[in-house]
Amino acid sequence: MIKKYITVLIILAAGFLNAQSIEVYADTDTTEYVVGDYIHYRLELRYTNDIKVELPSVIDSISMLEFINEEPAVVRKNDNETFELREFVFSKYDSAEVSIPGYSVKYYAGNEADANIINVNPVTILVRTIEVDPSGDIQDVKAPIKIELNWLLFSVIALLLIALILAAYILYQRYKNKRQIVVKEKKIIKVPAYRIALEELDELDSKKLWQQGFVKEYHSELTGIIRKYFESRFNFPALELTSAEILANLGISDADEQVKIATNEFLSNADMVKFAKFKPMPSVNEEMMKQAYDIIDKTKQDDEVKVESVEVQSVQ
Amino acid sequence: MEITELNEKIKQESAFIDTLFAEIGKTIIGQKEMVERLVIGLLSNGHILLEGVPGLAKTLAIKTLAQSMQAKFQRIQFTPDLLPADLLGTMIYNQKDGNFSIKKGPIFSNFILADEINRAPAKVQSALLESMQERQVTIGSSTFPLEEPFLVLATQNPIEQEGTYPLPEAQVDRFMLKVKIDYPSRDEEQKIMKLNIGASLPEIKPVVSPESILNARKLIHTIYVDEKIEKYILDIVFATRNPKEFGLEDLQDLISYGGSPRATINLALGARAMAFVKRRGYVIPEDVRSICMDVLRHRIAVTYEAEAEDITSENIIQRILNTVEVP
């Protein structure tokens, strides 16, 4: 009778133990890899629902491999049991036989405060290098990628281009037909430089600057008019040149010798007034004006009507 | 002083200039511009940076100038192992009396030729440039004023830049003028050849005293600079800074930085000295223009874009001079 009770108790205890079960299993997608390949390391856990599992850091536990990434965890639960799948991607860049060591997983059964431990099995893999034939030619690591020609896309682009060229041609023809070119010669009467200069001299004279005490201003304006006149008449930038440079430019122009001498005297006298506080006699001021008129008179060119530009007009 | 009176005084006092040029011309054939700039530097109390290939009579020119003035001349060859003490002087221990005595360096002369200044390291360059600026040298705890007149002519070789220490922009700015010299003309070179294959070079006699130069310097300060000339100088310098304002938009991206106020001062001083050399009591735009290139060429930095297009500071200055209106 006692034996019967003991047997029943053993059966009950075994049933109880069987009710709180946990299994762990680690594996890789294959056992042989080439250096640089992705090693998919899978950890499967199957445990009853009254068990709480505390996973260690798998990445830290597998330090001999280079961690690439971790796939999202797959957890399936039914009334009694939970199935958990963890997948980690590693790689290795050296050839070797690698033994991924086993490690411990803590779990708590029911309301137990103390943790139990279950060990994950070690996995051995072989990482080998690419075999190189030293007698062969140097080859690409990977063959060039061949992109398949998308005939449909190619045809659409070709058609669009043809349509665009046709449209441009039609538009150009329309524009060409509409456009009637009328060439007009625009005659511009260019006022000769000497006339402008003479007018300016007249104006300066009428201002009576030196008579009012503005001697320096008078000489500055006077030389300014002559320099501007030289610029138009002899085509050199007299306004940006010094007196000596103006005389040098005048020296190679068609101006006659008398004009060159007169200009030298004219500019030198004006420079004295402009830059040396020299106060000339009234007669000198008058003489300067006369000299200016004289220089213009001796270098002036006749009036002429010049065809300044040819205007092209389009009529719609 | 009335302008006619001043003009007359300048004419009289500057008479030695022609004599000086004539004396220097005994041994220096051609290179008129270099000699003129040397005198301008001397009269303006400025220093000169000379750039030219070897053999263009740079040393001979300054040596002749010193001889014609009965002044002390020293030539210092700048080398990578030169030390500031080699230039300025140092304290020497006297074993007999157990004291230190001061040994003055070659800088204590009227005319210094700092040959190939860019071959010496920065500390030596700084020592020279500081002395040039302050016109005094401190050895140990004693400060000594430099000789008067004091002119430094530093040379730079435009070729063979390897192993050189280019002068920093801030230090180049301390030179009043940067003069570029070129080969003499064929006729000039023939004269040089004839002169040098003779038994000896003509003897240079002292025709000017250092005191005359110091007096001339004082007189130069009285030379009249009209407001129009001042405005012209300012226009030129400001055009190097803001070319856009002077209708030179295309230069805006070519100039890294323009002339400093020191450029303005030196342009005015140089123009005054030029007027003195031309024996005039007043400055005309011609004086400003003739000295402008030498005053500004080392004070305008061009950008990488300009360098890539082979545009130099001289091209920029020329454009500015051709654009800024002359009063």
Side-chain angles (χ1 to χ4, degrees):
Chain A
M1 190 63 185
I2 292 164
K3 272 184 182 176
K4 264 186 182 176
Y5 282 121
I6 290 167
T7 312
V8 170
L9 275 170
I10 289 166
I11 291 164
L12 281 170
F16 179 74
L17 284 171
N18 194 35
Q20 286 184 331
S21 72
I22 179 164
E23 285 172 18
V24 288
Y25 178 67
D27 197 5
T28 52
D29 53 339
T30 178
T31 53
E32 272 195 30
Y33 296 91
V34 175
V35 284
D37 276 357
Y38 281 178
I39 300 161
H40 292 265
Y41 176 82
R42 291 152 57 93
L43 176 65
E44 287 177 17
L45 297 110
R46 197 180 292 275
Y47 49 90
T48 48
N49 288 343
D50 55 347
I51 287 178
K52 283 178 189 168
V53 175
E54 203 175 88
L55 265 181
S57 170
V58 176
I59 300 159
D60 292 341
S61 303
I62 307 173
S63 58
M64 69 292 297
L65 298 177
E66 301 293 327
F67 172 71
I68 305 294
N69 73 340
E70 184 182 348
E71 299 290 339
V74 177
V75 180
R76 279 197 295 269
K77 219 172 191 179
N78 60 26
D79 292 343
N80 303 320
E81 204 178 51
T82 302
F83 172 75
E84 208 175 319
L85 175 66
R86 301 286 179 129
E87 192 171 334
F88 302 88
V89 182
F90 293 93
S91 189
K92 182 149 182 75
Y93 305 111
D94 285 324
S95 60
E97 191 180 75
V98 181
S99 180
I100 304 168
Y103 45 91
S104 304
V105 175
K106 277 184 191 174
Y107 70 94
Y108 298 89
N111 293 324
E112 281 177 21
D114 295 331
N116 298 305
I117 283 170
I118 186 164
N119 289 319
V120 178
N121 60 298
V123 180
T124 304
I125 57 165
L126 179 69
V127 180
R128 56 181 174 78
T129 55
I130 301 162
E131 281 179 24
V132 179
D133 177 12
S135 61
D137 280 346
I138 295 168
Q139 289 180 341
D140 292 334
V141 176
K142 282 185 179 177
I145 299 166
K146 280 183 184 170
I147 300 167
E148 291 292 320
L149 199 62
N150 188 338
W151 284 105
L152 184 68
L153 183 71
F154 180 75
S155 311
V156 170
I157 292 168
L159 279 170
L160 276 172
L161 271 173
I162 293 165
L164 206 69
I165 292 164
L166 270 171
Y169 178 74
I170 291 162
L171 281 171
Y172 173 70
Q173 285 299 326
R174 275 190 185 181
Y175 172 74
K176 203 176 156 187
N177 292 337
K178 271 189 177 179
R179 195 168 169 240
Q180 196 182 350
I181 298 166
V182 175
V183 179
K184 273 188 180 176
E185 275 190 350
K186 196 178 174 186
K187 287 178 180 173
I188 294 171
I189 298 168
K190 197 181 171 190
V191 181
Y194 84 88
R195 279 201 181 180
I196 299 168
L198 288 175
E199 276 171 24
E200 284 174 349
L201 284 179
D202 291 344
E203 200 186 329
L204 177 65
D205 204 20
S206 66
K207 277 197 223 169
K208 303 216 177 288
L209 282 178
W210 67 264
Q211 291 90 337
Q212 294 169 53
F214 301 111
V215 182
K216 206 189 230 184
E217 288 76 5
Y218 168 74
H219 284 263
S220 290
E221 281 196 35
L222 194 59
T223 47
I225 292 166
I226 293 298
R227 283 161 73 190
K228 214 167 94 185
Y229 165 69
F230 281 166
E231 207 161 270
S232 303
R233 170 64 182 83
F234 297 109
N235 292 319
F236 61 79
L239 286 170
E240 287 82 35
L241 298 178
T242 62
S243 301
E245 286 166 337
I246 291 171
L247 291 169
N249 275 280
L250 210 59
I252 52 168
S253 71
D254 57 358
D256 69 41
E257 210 51 45
Q258 262 192 325
V259 171
K260 287 170 193 171
I261 294 163
T263 309
N264 186 11
E265 194 189 337
F266 174 79
L267 292 175
S268 304
N269 288 339
D271 278 356
M272 283 287 285
V273 181
K274 277 156 64 182
F275 309 121
K277 286 195 292 186
F278 179 71
K279 285 180 184 138
M281 302 284 285
S283 58
V284 175
N285 294 332
E286 281 170 3
E287 188 55 37
M288 286 289 280
M289 182 60 87
K290 276 182 198 163
Q291 270 186 336
Y293 276 115
D294 200 38
I295 290 165
I296 294 169
D297 190 50
K298 282 180 179 155
T299 52
K300 70 179 179 186
Q301 275 182 329
D302 289 336
D303 288 13
E304 57 182 35
V305 176
K306 285 185 177 171
V307 177
E308 192 65 11
S309 63
V310 176
E311 199 174 312
V312 179
Q313 280 188 344
S314 63
V315 178
Q316 295 287 321
Chain B
M1 197 188 292
E2 276 297 309
I3 194 73
T4 41
E5 202 183 327
L6 176 67
N7 223 13
E8 209 49 52
K9 192 173 181 191
I10 296 285
K11 261 185 193 168
Q12 281 172 12
E13 296 288 330
S14 62
F16 74 88
I17 294 286
D18 292 342
T19 323
L20 186 65
F21 283 154
E23 197 61 27
I24 294 171
K26 278 186 186 174
T27 53
I28 304 294
I29 312 292
Q31 305 294 10
K32 272 187 182 169
E33 201 174 293
M34 177 180 68
V35 175
E36 195 177 72
R37 297 307 184 258
L38 278 179
V39 173
I40 284 171
L42 190 62
L43 294 170
S44 319
N45 206 10
H47 304 285
I48 299 162
L49 183 61
L50 206 57
E51 201 173 276
V53 292
L56 294 180
K58 299 185 285 265
T59 313
L60 186 63
I62 193 158
K63 199 175 166 183
T64 310
L65 181 65
Q67 283 173 345
S68 61
M69 284 179 54
Q70 216 170 16
K72 279 193 266 176
F73 164 74
Q74 287 285 353
R75 177 180 178 274
I76 308 161
Q77 179 65 48
F78 278 52
T79 52
D81 59 347
L82 196 75
L83 294 170
D86 298 332
L87 191 72
L88 310 177
T90 189
M91 304 276 285
I92 290 177
Y93 182 68
N94 192 333
Q95 280 189 325
K96 269 186 188 170
D97 54 16
N99 287 328
F100 282 94
S101 60
I102 289 164
K103 168 95 176 127
K104 287 182 180 177
I107 200 156
F108 290 91
S109 298
N110 297 108
F111 294 96
I112 306 285
L113 176 69
D115 222 353
E116 294 196 277
I117 191 169
N118 54 343
R119 297 235 171 255
K123 57 185 175 185
V124 184
Q125 293 174 358
S126 299
L128 174 71
L129 295 161
E130 260 179 59
S131 318
M132 278 160 54
Q133 188 76 16
E134 290 165 19
R135 288 167 195 275
Q136 61 178 31
V137 168
T138 303
I139 305 168
S141 56
S142 312
T143 302
F144 303 95
L146 291 172
E147 310 268 344
E148 279 293 351
F150 177 63
L151 173 75
V152 173
L153 181 81
T155 71
Q156 274 196 145
N157 191 342
I159 52 170
E160 294 172 356
Q161 294 302 309
E162 273 176 54
T164 60
Y165 302 85
L167 289 171
E169 275 79 9
Q171 298 200 339
V172 174
D173 197 41
R174 292 187 188 183
F175 285 97
M176 182 191 176
L177 307 172
K178 182 181 178 181
V179 182
K180 276 193 173 178
I181 51 168
D182 210 347
Y183 292 109
S185 68
R186 201 182 166 84
D187 288 345
E188 286 167 352
E189 193 135 346
Q190 194 177 8
K191 283 178 194 165
I192 293 168
M193 185 171 65
K194 277 183 182 167
L195 189 74
N196 281 273
I197 57 174
S200 59
L201 285 174
E203 193 193 338
I204 302 296
K205 288 174 191 156
V207 289
V208 185
S209 66
E211 289 73 33
S212 313
I213 297 295
L214 297 177
N215 286 337
R217 276 185 188 172
K218 282 180 197 160
L219 203 59
I220 282 172
H221 290 296
T222 62
I223 288 179
Y224 176 68
V225 182
D226 192 80
E227 209 177 309
K228 279 175 188 287
I229 299 290
E230 287 172 358
K231 195 183 159 294
Y232 182 51
I233 290 171
L234 289 172
D235 280 349
I236 292 170
V237 176
F238 272 71
T240 67
R241 296 179 205 163
N242 307 305
K244 226 175 185 177
E245 286 175 19
F246 293 83
L248 294 160
E249 285 85 359
D250 56 320
L251 294 189
Q252 193 71 45
D253 294 333
L254 302 177
I255 302 172
S256 174
Y257 59 84
S260 61
R262 204 182 264 160
T264 313
I265 297 164
N266 283 319
L267 196 50
L269 282 173
R272 259 184 169 164
M274 182 58 91
F276 185 85
V277 169
K278 300 286 176 195
R279 307 183 67 183
R280 245 186 290 105
Y282 57 95
V283 176
I284 58 169
E286 196 78 52
D287 301 325
V288 179
R289 275 177 87 109
S290 62
I291 203 79
C292 189
M293 192 66 87
D294 298 313
V295 172
L296 292 180
R297 65 156 62 93
H298 55 299
R299 292 188 162 99
I300 296 172
V302 294
T303 58
Y304 288 116
E305 286 93 329
E307 276 179 28
E309 288 172 36
D310 240 5
I311 294 169
T312 61
S313 60
E314 285 155 30
N315 301 133
I316 289 168
I317 298 164
Q318 201 53 57
R319 278 287 312 280
I320 289 170
L321 288 179
N322 291 344
T323 309
V324 173
E325 205 170 299
V326 176

